[in-house]
Amino acid sequence: YKLDTTNDLLTSRAGLLAIGQLMESLSLAERIDKYFPRPKSNRRYKPSEIIKTLILMQHEGSFHLDDVRHIQDDEALRTVLDLKRLPQATTLGDWLRRIGSQPQIQEAWVKVNKTLLQSALHCCKKVTLDIDATEIIAHKANAKWTYNKNKGFMPMVGHIAETGQVVAVDFRQGNVPPAQDNLAFIKQCQQALPEGCALNALRIDAAGYQIKIIEYCDDQDIQYAIRAKTSATMRAQIEAASDSDWQLLVDKKGKAVKGQDTYRTSICIGDYKKA
């Protein structure tokens, strides 16, 4: 290896340049400042300066607000992205706490996020929605115990399967059951989709095995794959199945999976008559 010295500015975070250019091409700063409440003083940071900093931190792999110093100390990165000033960790924390208590913030998030969704979905008219609870372990005083016996939070997160993007989030305490208010959250995800894009299919674990969710999907012509909860009726059906009812489980390539078989049947849930 031949080594040399240079007076040029260098950065080990070249990957963040693509993120910065993407935010610029989407006019993300202008959209954020349009929908988020502006500061009352000109000396305070704009919402776009805060959020863009948080986005860069997340893509850099930051886990704590104090990690903002990694970007602050990277003069080359700040020069290329024209980051003339960056908020301190305390400023980021104060903004997040203040903004999180304002009810109109949810609507602002949705309007800004629709721009990101639209840019990736292009002309896609129908999407598949994946929803699941995501555990966040935290040491905050108001955090509650989760079912995994950790203190923290259990937000419900909706992802678009085609792009992997988050379409909506319902922030919840750690002790909130994952099955609570999932139909309302599905509707929230639908409203958060960009114009001209509709929910075509839903995938959810046993937390979505509810009559009202299945009935809603049938009424809205939404295909669904929901993990069913085992019941006495279901176990009786499986036990009554003969060996000829079981078929080899086949993988995506059409090859049989060794030691696994599948049995297809139908069952009704509760008083809902449709199988």
Side-chain angles (χ1 to χ4, degrees):
Y1 296 94
K2 184 178 181 180
L3 303 179
D4 202 353
T5 59
T6 178
N7 292 323
D8 294 334
L9 295 175
L10 301 176
T11 178
S12 61
R13 300 175 178 83
L16 294 184
L17 299 178
I19 303 300
Q21 291 174 349
L22 177 61
M23 290 191 289
E24 184 70 24
S25 65
L26 293 174
S27 301
L28 190 63
E30 290 80 357
R31 293 182 180 276
I32 292 172
D33 292 333
K34 178 181 178 181
Y35 296 115
F36 278 78
R38 300 294 294 270
K40 297 180 181 179
S41 170
N42 290 331
R43 290 180 293 179
R44 286 193 173 186
Y45 288 92
K46 298 178 181 178
S48 60
E49 292 177 307
I50 298 286
I51 295 177
K52 285 176 66 176
T53 300
L54 291 171
I55 291 174
L56 290 173
M57 288 173 61
Q58 288 183 326
H59 282 85
E60 196 244 357
S62 301
F63 285 95
H64 309 94
L65 294 180
D66 284 335
D67 292 339
V68 69
R69 68 181 184 275
H70 297 162
I71 300 176
Q72 289 171 336
D73 295 340
D74 195 329
E75 188 177 352
L77 178 70
R78 293 181 58 186
T79 300
V80 175
L81 295 182
D82 195 26
L83 300 174
K84 293 184 173 61
R85 62 175 193 165
L86 281 174
Q88 301 289 329
T90 53
T91 304
L92 293 172
D94 290 341
W95 186 86
L96 289 170
R97 282 186 288 271
R98 185 176 69 254
I99 216 74
S101 61
Q102 300 182 20
Q104 71 272 26
I105 290 305
Q106 178 63 35
E107 185 179 351
W109 279 119
V110 170
K111 289 181 178 178
V112 172
N113 196 43
K114 281 185 177 181
T115 303
L116 302 178
L117 296 175
Q118 186 67 66
S119 66
L121 290 170
H122 298 293
C123 299
C124 184
K125 301 297 182 183
K126 296 181 179 180
V127 295
T128 300
L129 174 66
D130 290 323
I131 73 172
D132 199 3
T134 303
E135 183 183 43
I136 299 176
I137 299 176
H139 303 287
K140 293 174 68 81
N142 64 339
K144 305 297 183 182
W145 290 100
T146 71
Y147 62 83
N148 287 326
K149 298 181 180 180
N150 296 312
K151 252 195 168 183
F153 305 93
M154 193 67 74
M156 186 62 69
V157 183
H159 289 90
I160 293 179
E162 285 76 6
T163 61
Q165 291 172 290
V166 173
V167 63
V169 176
D170 183 18
F171 196 77
R172 301 176 178 180
Q173 272 288 359
N175 60 352
V176 175
Q180 182 171 308
D181 296 331
N182 281 341
L183 178 57
F185 181 66
I186 293 170
K187 294 178 180 179
Q188 178 183 334
C189 292
Q190 284 182 286
Q191 294 172 355
L193 289 171
E195 187 176 352
C197 186
L199 178 58
N200 178 59
L202 170 70
R203 297 191 299 203
I204 184 173
D205 60 14
Y209 190 59
Q210 304 172 24
I211 296 177
K212 55 185 178 182
I213 291 179
I214 295 174
E215 190 172 9
Y216 178 77
C217 289
D218 287 337
D219 291 341
Q220 298 291 317
D221 198 24
I222 298 172
Q223 301 177 39
Y224 57 87
I226 302 176
R227 182 175 182 233
K229 295 178 181 178
T230 306
S231 63
T233 304
M234 192 181 299
R235 283 195 295 268
Q237 277 189 287
I238 294 174
E239 291 172 359
S242 63
D243 292 342
S244 60
D245 293 325
W246 291 90
Q247 305 295 326
L248 289 174
L249 182 64
V250 180
D251 62 17
K252 293 181 179 180
K253 297 181 180 179
K255 295 182 179 180
V257 181
K258 186 178 180 181
Q260 296 190 44
D261 299 278
T262 181
Y263 167 50
R264 184 182 294 270
T265 185
S266 60
I267 192 171
C268 293
I269 174 175
D271 298 329
Y272 190 45
K273 299 303 180 183
K274 186 172 180 179

